[in-house]
Amino acid sequence: MRLKLVIFDVDGTLVDSQDLIVEAMRMAFEGQGLLPPSRTDTLGIVGLSLDVAIFKLFPEGEPDLRARLVDGYKAGYMHHRAAVGAAKSSPFFDGAYQMLARLHARDDVLLGIATGKSRRGVDKLIEGHELRGMFVTTQVADDHPSKPHPSMIETAIAETGVTKADTVMIGDTSYDMDMAAAAGVHGIGVAWGYHPVADLGKAHTVVNDFEALQRALDTLWERQS
């Protein structure tokens, strides 16, 4: 049996955590007496590792100030998530869970995660959405250079033993599609996330909903069979 590896980004792809992210960034900047970035600018850095994201938002800040912003974001994120719960603060997009369940039920498909979230954040999300056992490989910001470096995908491939040709990366940002291209795997962009579709230029295809995503995967696998 030829195994296939489907790697998902998390924020903006599987779950809609934009309100949580924007609120945590607001708290971080205001906690240092700074004007928070706009909602558009904040959502533009989703997918990057946090230290890289803060630098992109505030490159003129001194390193120690940016470090305090990182800590402030983490504190604000955890506070808001604890107040409402992981599942409510980062709800699934319509059709996301059903898509994961269908793929997980297949003997020839392995599921993975590649995200700019921390290990703790991913663990809380998996617990909150009752996804234990769903993913065989989870690659997080703690262990890798920030996207679009291909390290996350390359490690997921090494852990599962699946070939690059049988690996697909699914995400909503240019960082996801650039990472897929850098790793030499098929990239599928999703139109419902945080980057404009125009920014997903390196995607092999862009889909508008999870049913279209399923069709794109089926077409790809039929062509490869």
Side-chain angles (χ1 to χ4, degrees), residues 1-15:
M1 181 172 56
R2 183 172 173 175
L3 287 177
K4 308 167 185 66
L5 174 61
V6 181
I7 306 173
F8 284 92
D9 169 58
V10 176
D11 297 309
T13 301
L14 292 175
V15 300

Side-chain angles (χ1 to χ4, degrees), residues 38-146:
S38 69
R39 186 182 191 89
T40 298
D41 286 346
T42 295
L43 294 180
I45 54 81
V46 174
L48 296 174
S49 298
L50 185 53
D51 57 339
V52 177
I54 292 294
F55 181 80
K56 190 174 179 68
L57 289 172
F58 193 45
E60 66 273 23
E62 294 296 324
D64 60 337
L65 176 55
R66 293 202 303 270
R68 292 197 297 274
L69 288 170
V70 167
D71 290 341
Y73 177 88
K74 291 178 180 178
Y77 193 98
M78 288 187 291
H79 173 79
H80 191 64
R81 184 182 62 199
V84 300
K88 288 186 177 180
S89 61
S90 298
F92 275 126
F93 286 105
D94 288 343
Y97 179 80
Q98 292 81 359
M99 177 79 180
L100 290 175
R102 285 197 303 268
L103 293 175
H104 181 59
R106 293 180 54 150
D107 293 335
D108 61 338
V109 173
L110 302 177
L111 295 180
I113 281 175
T115 177
K117 298 172 79 68
S118 68
R119 175 69 60 189
R120 178 169 55 182
V122 168
D123 288 347
K124 286 288 186 182
L125 191 74
I126 288 174
E127 178 184 354
H129 281 294
E130 299 182 351
L131 298 175
R132 294 182 193 87
M134 185 79 76
F135 302 100
V136 300
T137 179
T138 54
Q139 307 304 321
V140 298
D142 306 45
D143 307 321
H144 298 279
S146 179

Side-chain angles (χ1 to χ4, degrees), residues 142-209:
D142 306 45
D143 307 321
H144 298 279
S146 179
K147 298 176 183 180
H149 193 284
S151 176
M152 291 186 187
I153 293 177
E154 291 171 345
T155 303
I157 288 172
E159 286 184 359
T160 58
V162 177
T163 67
K164 286 186 178 183
D166 292 316
T167 298
V168 180
M169 177 68 208
I170 298 168
D172 69 302
T173 70
S174 59
Y175 315 126
D176 297 314
M177 297 302 99
D178 290 349
M179 178 175 65
V185 306
H186 195 88
I188 299 179
V190 303
W192 56 80
Y194 303 153
H195 278 196
V197 170
D199 291 350
L200 308 181
K202 291 188 179 179
H204 289 83
T205 188
V206 178
V207 297
N208 291 317
D209 54 43

